Amino acid sequence: MINPLKGKISIHLVIICFFSMLFWCLGCYKEQFTSNSADKLRFSVDTLRFDTVFTTVGSATRSFKIYNDASLPLKISSIKIKKVSASVFRLNVDGFAAASLELHDIEIGARDSIYVFLEVTVNPNQPLSISPFVIDDEIEFVTNGNNQMVHLEAWGQNANYIPNRNAKGGLALLTCNLQDETWSDPKPYVIYGVLLIDSCTLHIPAGARVYVHGGIARAGQARYNDGIIYVLQHGRLLVEGTADNKVYFAHDRLESELKDDYGGWAGIRFGPGSVSNRISYAEIKSPIVGVYADSASDVTIRNTIIYNSAGAGILGVHARIIAENCLFYSNGTHSIQFAYGGNYRVDYCTMANYDNEAEALSLDNVLVRDPDNNLVSYNPLNATITNSIITGNGKDELGLIDGQSSNPDFFKISFSNSYIKAEELLTPKSYPDFFKQCPGCIRAKINDTLFLSPSKYDYRLDSNSIANNKAKYIDRIPIDILGIFRDKDLPDMGCYELK
């Protein structure tokens, strides 16, 4: 006899067991994804480049592959483009479009791969702050606790790319068989990598705009600062701006959050033996070191502003430098540093060193080659500073180091008609008679009226400035940085003449 109730219970038990097994199997399937942090993604590229320069609004599509080399399926927790708010990229992974530039829980089978598609749309007519020369971004992949990146590069503006748009971290030689080359194209010049100038005189005329793509580059195990204009022994650089039409140097990252960064590119460097270089009416923004003149090199810098540098505005190492009517501010260390001797002349310069504890002007004649073995070298220093303003936040904005005090020929310095902030420098152990040997100089006091508005980086002289009418006239420098004629009887200190 069949028991109907017992049959119903059996059916219920079978159904319960079936679903229990189903959920158990599904649970087993979920456990099949690898969670081992050693199982990382592999990419077909480390940098995805869009090598099109857009002269009109346009777009381009590129792709790469992601590989899972593990013996189990792998789940990518998140894929996102990092600079979401400003990105011009659009992302599609394995057929899934990322509406918000971010995707989650993307699966790759064991020893399998998927495609990633990127599209970029650029409008070169937008301001550089929106559509810069080089658009950098990254795709971030998070898998089993690992963060991996694929870099993105696109070119957003029509410009002269020197040497080309794929030269990041590379070296490029500009040579013209000891002839002249002029960058006269009205489009900007964008230097990508390290530009070496040799056997050539490069003219950069008034109004030219030079942008340099900086960053850290690698050559094997070595790491170095990318984005350098380097003038070799047989090279020569002539920057030929005017008061109304300066030559502009800056890094190429002009987005609003990056445009005022310090040290965005390495700077202009004159190698050993490079002579007769001139920089006139230039604005040099955001370098690591603005102008670096190496051993026995020679450069004259006139009517130039150097600011937002990570290091010194000018660094001379056993070199020859003339600086006239120049302004230095927002420098990471010294406004001007003359090291290991050399021959220097500074006239009518303003060194406003309010952003760090280093001295505005540093002079020395010593090079420590091996501190552990006390191996030191010396070179004679000859420096003349006239009609200049040397000030900042520190107690001393003038640093003097004479490593050969027994030989006066190794430390010849001459100051006159300059405004100088100095306190500890004047102690009996240092230079107690400094201002007695500084004709026409003014020792800074805490309540001095000096600049028009230093908080707004306006270093023109206030109408009541203590530096007014305190310089001495120099025939060869009749005008100031703005082209204003200086008073022949009572000119002003610093790079600006009060109207």
Side-chain angles (χ1 to χ4, degrees):
M1 183 176 180
I2 297 175
N3 188 330
L5 181 61
K6 185 175 180 180
K8 290 181 180 179
I9 293 173
S10 299
I11 292 170
H12 290 161
L13 287 173
V14 170
I15 292 172
I16 291 170
C17 289
F18 173 77
F19 281 104
S20 297
M21 291 291 290
L22 177 63
F23 289 129
W24 180 80
C25 289
L26 290 174
C28 290
Y29 179 74
K30 289 181 180 178
E31 291 299 319
Q32 293 304 305
F33 286 101
T34 176
S35 59
N36 189 342
S37 61
D39 292 332
K40 297 182 179 181
L41 302 173
R42 180 167 60 87
F43 307 104
S44 60
V45 298
D46 57 9
T47 300
L48 191 66
R49 291 186 173 93
F50 295 78
D51 56 1
T52 300
V53 174
F54 298 100
T55 57
T56 60
V57 178
S59 63
T61 302
R62 298 288 184 271
S63 65
F64 64 94
K65 294 183 76 172
I66 310 173
Y67 297 92
N68 171 22
D69 295 326
S71 58
L72 291 173
L74 178 149
K75 183 177 289 186
I76 306 173
S77 302
S78 71
I79 304 173
K80 65 179 179 180
I81 295 180
K82 295 192 70 176
K83 301 172 188 175
V84 175
S85 61
S87 183
V88 297
F89 297 99
R90 286 174 300 285
L91 176 66
N92 184 297
V93 180
D94 201 28
F96 295 96
S100 62
L101 301 182
E102 186 168 356
L103 291 166
H104 297 277
D105 297 331
I106 300 297
E107 301 174 5
I108 309 179
R111 297 189 174 90
D112 202 353
S113 63
I114 59 175
Y115 274 97
V116 177
F117 294 92
L118 266 296
E119 185 181 52
V120 59
T121 298
V122 171
N123 181 356
N125 298 316
Q126 289 180 314
L128 284 169
S129 58
I130 299 173
S131 179
F133 294 110
V134 182
I135 302 169
D136 284 323
D137 214 324
E138 291 177 319
I139 308 179
E140 180 185 56
F141 299 83
V142 180
T143 311
N144 295 337
N146 297 309
N147 289 63
Q148 296 175 264
M149 304 289 179
V150 170
H151 299 277
L152 305 175
E153 291 180 3
W155 289 270
Q157 292 283 336
N158 192 19
N160 299 286
Y161 290 87
I162 307 294
N164 58 64
R165 299 181 303 279
N166 299 316
K168 181 178 180 180
L171 305 178
L173 179 64
L174 174 65
T175 183
C176 56
N177 297 319
L178 296 176
Q179 301 300 310
D180 290 23
E181 179 169 322
T182 301
W183 284 2
S184 56
D185 195 305
K187 295 192 298 294
Y189 289 80
V190 181
I191 295 173
Y192 211 50
V194 176
L195 179 66
L196 305 172
I197 303 171
D198 198 23
S199 300
C200 190
T201 295
L202 175 61
H203 296 260
I204 304 182
R209 291 167 292 155
V210 180
Y211 298 93
V212 186
H213 190 81
I216 300 298
R218 295 172 177 83
Q221 298 298 315
R223 291 161 58 93
Y224 61 93
N225 292 309
D226 202 11
I228 306 174
I229 301 172
Y230 198 115
V231 186
L232 296 172
Q233 181 176 1
H234 299 295
R236 187 181 179 207
L237 178 63
L238 300 178
V239 177
E240 300 164 324
T242 64
D244 297 327
N245 207 8
K246 290 184 172 63
V247 175
Y248 183 75
F249 294 89
H251 65 79
D252 65 343
R253 300 303 305 273
L254 302 179
E255 302 93 317
S256 57
E257 67 272 20
L258 297 173
K259 65 183 179 66
D260 292 325
D261 270 8
Y262 286 67
W265 59 294
I268 301 171
R269 182 162 183 164
F270 298 97
S274 175
V275 298
S276 300
N277 298 286
R278 293 196 306 271
I279 299 175
S280 298
Y281 288 104
E283 186 174 333
I284 302 173
K285 178 183 179 183
S286 299
I288 294 177
V289 173
V291 176
Y292 183 168
D294 210 339
S295 304
S297 62
D298 171 6
V299 58
T300 297
I301 308 168
R302 294 188 174 103
N303 307 299
T304 290
I305 303 173
I306 303 177
Y307 62 107
N308 282 15
S309 64
I314 293 177
L315 172 57
V317 179
H318 188 212
R320 296 186 298 274
I321 297 176
I322 296 172
E324 299 174 357
N325 280 334
C326 293
L327 170 62
F328 306 89
Y329 70 92
S330 293
N331 306 116
T333 57
H334 311 283
S335 298
I336 297 177
Q337 181 181 8
F338 296 145
Y340 191 37
N343 293 277
Y344 308 101
R345 193 182 80 224
V346 177
D347 298 317
Y348 288 118
C349 286
T350 297
M351 293 162 255
N353 201 50
Y354 292 103
D355 296 292
N356 63 78
E357 297 303 316
E359 301 91 350
L361 175 62
S362 174
L363 305 174
D364 73 67
N365 58 7
V366 60
L367 176 65
V368 179
R369 297 186 181 276
D370 185 349
D372 295 330
N373 296 307
N374 198 29
L375 181 59
V376 180
S377 296
Y378 304 94
N379 257 313
L381 173 77
N382 292 278
T384 301
I385 316 296
T386 307
N387 294 344
S388 294
I389 295 174
I390 306 167
T391 190
N393 285 329
K395 292 182 178 180
D396 283 284
E397 291 298 339
L398 176 60
L400 304 175
I401 300 176
D402 180 7
Q404 281 278 36
S405 55
S406 60
N407 188 344
D409 290 335
F410 270 70
F411 201 73
K412 293 181 177 180
I413 58 173
S414 173
F415 287 79
S416 62
N417 296 84
S418 295
Y419 178 92
I420 302 170
K421 190 173 184 182
E423 185 174 319
E424 295 174 356
L425 176 74
L426 308 178
T427 62
K429 292 183 179 180
S430 297
Y431 296 87
D433 298 325
F434 176 82
F435 280 98
K436 294 179 181 178
Q437 301 169 5
C438 188
C441 290
I442 300 172
R443 180 183 175 184
K445 297 182 178 60
I446 192 169
N447 294 321
D448 285 342
T449 298
L450 189 58
F451 299 123
L452 194 61
S453 183
S455 63
K456 297 180 179 178
Y457 307 110
D458 187 345
Y459 297 105
R460 292 174 296 169
L461 298 181
D462 187 273
S463 59
N464 296 314
S465 175
I466 193 170
N468 290 347
N469 305 326
K470 300 294 175 57
K472 64 180 180 181
Y473 190 73
I474 302 174
D475 289 338
R476 56 185 160 75
I477 312 175
I479 59 175
D480 77 346
I481 191 172
L482 298 177
I484 297 171
F485 282 95
R486 293 191 179 271
D487 189 305
K488 289 187 176 182
D489 296 319
L490 296 170
D492 301 328
M493 295 176 176
C495 63
Y496 292 107
E497 180 79 4
L498 187 65
K499 292 183 179 180

